[in-house]
Structure formats: C-alpha cells, structure tokens
Amino acid sequence: MRTVIQRVQEASVTVDGNVIGQISQGLLVLVGIEEIDTQQDIDWLSGKIVNLRIFEDEEGVMNKSVKDIGGEILVVSQFTLHASTKKGNRPSYIRAAKPDFAIPMYEQFVKKVEEDLGKQVQTGMFGADMKVRLLNDGPVTISIDTQNKE
C-alpha cells in the first residue's frame, strides 16, 4: 500500500457536485493498493498513520499525533499513486490492484483506521471522479509505502 498523507486544516471530497466526505483539522490520506498488499500491511499502515507525530505540541514541536489532538481523517482511494513513469510520457498503472481486490482492501483499511483512531473516518468514493479540496497545514506532506518499511 502506498499513501500520501497531508496534515490539513480542512479537506473535502466532492462527487457529482455533492460533498461526500469532509473534515476539519486532521489528515487527508490518499491510498493506492497493489495486489501484493495484505492484512499485515493494513494493520501496520493504519497504526503508523494514526500515531504519526506531525502535529505541534504546546512548544511548537511536531510531537503529537492526529489521535492526540482529537483530529479527523479523510481517506481517498487513488490508484495513480502506483503510476510507473519509467517509459515514455504516459504513466502505466499496471501495479495498481484491480477493483475486485482493491475495494475490499480499501474498506478493510478504512475500518482499521477507524478502530485505531477511535472514531469514524470520512472517505471518498472508490473509482469515482472525485474533486478533492484541502488546506495543507505547514505544509506537511509525507509518503509511506508498506513495501519500503525500512
């Protein structure tokens, strides 16, 4: 699983002109799934995201997690995170999982993040043409790939 995590003051996702998910302070998590991903990847990644200390404490040091500050999380599926640009100018998405595998993995990931965070997580709509708005805070943007844990 590959993610791009953005610390935000607010974020929302719109489909067909309707806001389907929105948060105030917290994390926007873009997630791409591969066929090689497992439940262990979900568990590790969820714990990492929820406990990532990228929010400032009282002294202005990034020492608090989204859970510590009572923040929210918006998870949006994004198969383009697995784009290969090695050949030519048209990205290849061959590494991205097909929907029959990716959708259940995405749903399991959202459920696990909710468990670890202790509250409901907002989401986009898998496979839809989504418009994502965010106000990046910092800016702080971090990428995590479960295939490169070390």
Side-chain angles (χ1 to χ4, degrees):
M1 297 178 84
R2 184 172 291 164
T3 59
V4 172
I5 301 153
Q6 296 180 301
R7 186 178 77 179
V8 298
Q9 289 184 0
E10 62 185 16
S12 64
V13 62
T14 302
V15 175
D16 295 329
N18 298 311
V19 174
I20 62 165
Q22 65 181 14
I23 62 168
S24 53
Q25 184 181 30
L27 300 175
L28 169 62
V29 178
L30 306 174
V31 60
I33 298 167
E34 291 181 274
E35 298 281 344
I36 61 173
D37 292 327
T38 66
Q39 184 64 47
Q40 288 79 18
D41 292 313
I42 290 171
D43 294 344
W44 180 85
L45 185 57
S46 175
K48 183 63 90 172
I49 290 169
V50 168
N51 294 298
L52 199 60
R53 297 185 328 182
I54 58 173
F55 291 88
E56 294 178 357
D57 64 15
E58 298 74 23
E59 290 150 25
V61 177
M62 282 196 240
N63 205 25
K64 291 190 173 188
S65 69
V66 68
K67 190 171 185 177
D68 293 335
I69 66 157
E72 300 176 286
I73 296 178
L74 172 59
V75 178
V76 177
S77 63
Q78 188 168 352
F79 75 94
T80 61
L81 291 178
H82 288 292
S84 173
T85 58
K86 289 182 182 179
K87 295 181 182 176
N89 293 317
R90 183 186 311 220
S92 168
Y93 304 106
I94 194 134
R95 289 184 55 199
K98 303 289 184 262
D100 61 331
F101 180 82
I103 292 171
M105 290 292 285
Y106 172 76
E107 291 170 350
Q108 290 172 33
F109 176 69
V110 169
K111 183 178 178 183
K112 181 63 175 159
V113 172
E114 287 178 334
E115 287 175 15
D116 290 346
L117 186 61
K119 65 166 95 173
Q120 184 177 3
V121 168
Q122 295 293 303
T123 64
M125 182 181 295
F126 193 97
D129 179 21
M130 297 177 276
K131 308 302 180 210
V132 179
R133 292 183 185 263
L134 68 136
L135 180 55
N136 195 316
D137 183 15
V140 175
T141 302
I142 296 172
S143 61
I144 300 175
D145 189 327
T146 60
Q147 302 307 312
N148 295 312
K149 292 177 187 166
E150 289 150 32

